Amino acid sequence: MDTKFSVAVHVLILISEASNPISSDQMAGSVGTNASYIRKILALLKKGEIVNGQRGIGGYSLTVAPEQLTLLQIYQAVMEEPKIHLLDIHQNPSDQCIVGRYIRPVLTGMFADMEDTFARSLAGKTLADCIADIRKRIE
């Protein structure tokens, strides 16, 4: 399973809440990964116009307020896809089988509905919601 989305949310919260610029090494320590992976995530977020800045002393900053930054925007930036794609259908069902003949159109419609529901859910949550939840858990 791809973890880019959860890592991106983690990193964005760190950037948003840091009082001083935070390095990719510090972010990596918090995420539990290596700094080069963090830099790849940051490059995707920069390309998606969610952060600006660069490696080094200047650090990164958000280009969108946490209250305005939806989880859908983050997901689309790091997954590099405008459309959500969560589920795949197996490639070679047999047309000789009654189930095999109809499984693709049945699942295609169901999966599209599920992906639309997921996208709407992400669009309804913001980075600020994540920050607020963390703060609640800290208390």
Side-chain angles (χ1 to χ4, degrees), residues 5 70-77 82 84 119-120 122-123 125:
F5 175 61
T70 69
L71 296 186
L72 180 61
Q73 291 170 290
I74 299 166
Y75 181 93
Q76 289 171 328
I84 301 241
R120 283 192 304 277
L122 289 176
K125 298 286 183 189

Side-chain angles (χ1 to χ4, degrees), residues 73-94:
Q73 291 170 290
I74 299 166
Y75 181 93
Q76 289 171 328
V78 297
M79 301 310 283
E80 301 181 278
E81 288 289 328
K83 182 155 173 43
I84 301 241
H85 180 79
L86 300 173
L87 305 166
D88 286 318
I89 300 170
H90 52 293
Q91 294 296 312
N92 301 306
S94 172

Side-chain angles (χ1 to χ4, degrees), residues 20-82:
N20 295 314
I22 184 168
S23 72
S24 56
D25 285 329
Q26 291 169 308
M27 291 181 211
S30 178
V31 172
T33 190
N34 62 61
S36 66
Y37 185 66
I38 297 298
R39 288 190 291 272
K40 288 177 187 175
I41 299 296
L42 289 167
L44 293 170
L45 292 168
K46 190 172 179 181
K47 183 179 173 186
E49 300 180 352
I50 292 173
V51 298
N52 61 25
Q54 56 200 359
R55 289 172 35 184
I57 296 171
Y60 290 86
S61 61
L62 298 178
T63 62
V64 181
E67 300 79 15
Q68 302 300 314
L69 182 56
T70 69
L71 296 186
L72 180 61
Q73 291 170 290
I74 299 166
Y75 181 93
Q76 289 171 328
V78 297
M79 301 310 283
E80 301 181 278
E81 288 289 328

